[in-house]
Amino acid sequence: MQAAIRPTPAELKEIIAAERTANPFLVWRTDEGRQRLLVLEPDRWRVTIGRDLGADIPLSWDREVSRAHAVLERIGQRWTLVDDGLSRHGSFVNGSQVPGRRQLVDRDRLCFGSTEITFREAAIAGADVTASIAVSVEQLALSPMQRNVAIALCRPIRESESALPATNRAIADEVFLSVDAVKAHLRVLFTRYGLNDLPQNEKRVRLAATILASGALSPRDF
């Protein structure tokens, strides 16, 4: 199985954009570690997965994946994983092999060979859209200094999407605050954007990506 890779700010922006469609979507990485997304539009009812280049999700690099490995099918409003003996090594959801068909729920981890694909549920994505709209309204209530901190945090990513958000020290130097004061403002921003429950090492990247994707800051801010 592929080792977990922390999404870059640019990749998080892609995920946020997919969340805002309110459709289910799939996220995975190629053998080179590049993120790939497939949004499951309302008119799509079937997704093929396999090593064959003609598959909807072609995992051509993974020798443990069969040419026609598995299928995702929409039944009503629910997506299911189907592996009716198509694959040599089986298909797995959250570590358990699927003997036939299994209904999928948000954040299920689908494993084919050594490749993991994450399923994101439409209902959860729709909730995220509502939260994003509410956040945009809340953004109007940010103090000038909180806004300056947000700008400083995002500045490196505006200059290069492969960069990481600014450190607390860099933000402090830009906005003329102490590091402790910067941390306090960031805690407020984490709360406003609903990120308190994320692991600590993901909060800053997710915050910067969410702010930039929301349109809360304009190019003139940088």
Side-chain angles (χ1 to χ4, degrees), residues 36-53:
R36 293 288 183 266
L37 279 80
L38 177 64
V39 176
L40 305 176
E41 302 285 355
D43 59 350
R44 180 187 287 272
W45 65 274
R46 193 169 189 266
V47 176
T48 57
I49 300 169
R51 207 170 72 249
D52 193 301
L53 291 176

Side-chain angles (χ1 to χ4, degrees), residues 131-179:
S132 296
I133 294 171
V135 162
S136 296
V137 174
E138 283 293 320
Q139 177 66 24
L140 299 176
L142 290 180
S143 71
M145 186 53 71
Q146 289 165 355
R147 186 176 181 81
N148 289 342
V149 168
I151 292 169
L153 176 77
C154 298
R155 190 180 302 282
I157 301 171
R158 283 285 303 177
E159 296 174 355
S160 172
E161 290 198 337
S162 63
L164 292 174
T167 64
N168 290 342
R169 170 53 61 189
I171 296 172
D173 290 343
E174 178 172 334
V175 301
F176 304 106
L177 288 176
S178 68
V179 170

Side-chain angles (χ1 to χ4, degrees), residues 100-127:
R101 184 185 297 269
R102 173 164 169 168
Q103 181 174 303
L104 301 178
V105 298
D106 184 52
R107 300 185 188 276
D108 270 348
R109 294 175 291 104
L110 321 182
C111 188
F112 311 99
S114 60
T115 302
E116 185 173 288
I117 299 176
T118 300
F119 174 78
R120 292 298 311 274
E121 178 64 62
I124 301 299

Side-chain angles (χ1 to χ4, degrees), residues 11-27:
E11 289 171 343
L12 276 175
K13 286 171 68 177
E14 292 178 345
I15 291 173
I16 292 169
E19 290 172 346
R20 288 181 170 178
T21 69
N23 293 314
F25 62 96
L26 304 167
V27 187

Side-chain angles (χ1 to χ4, degrees), residues 179-196:
V179 170
D180 285 343
V182 168
K183 291 179 180 179
H185 285 301
L186 286 175
R187 284 195 292 270
V188 172
L189 293 174
F190 291 145
T191 298
R192 287 187 182 278
Y193 284 85
L195 305 176
N196 281 328

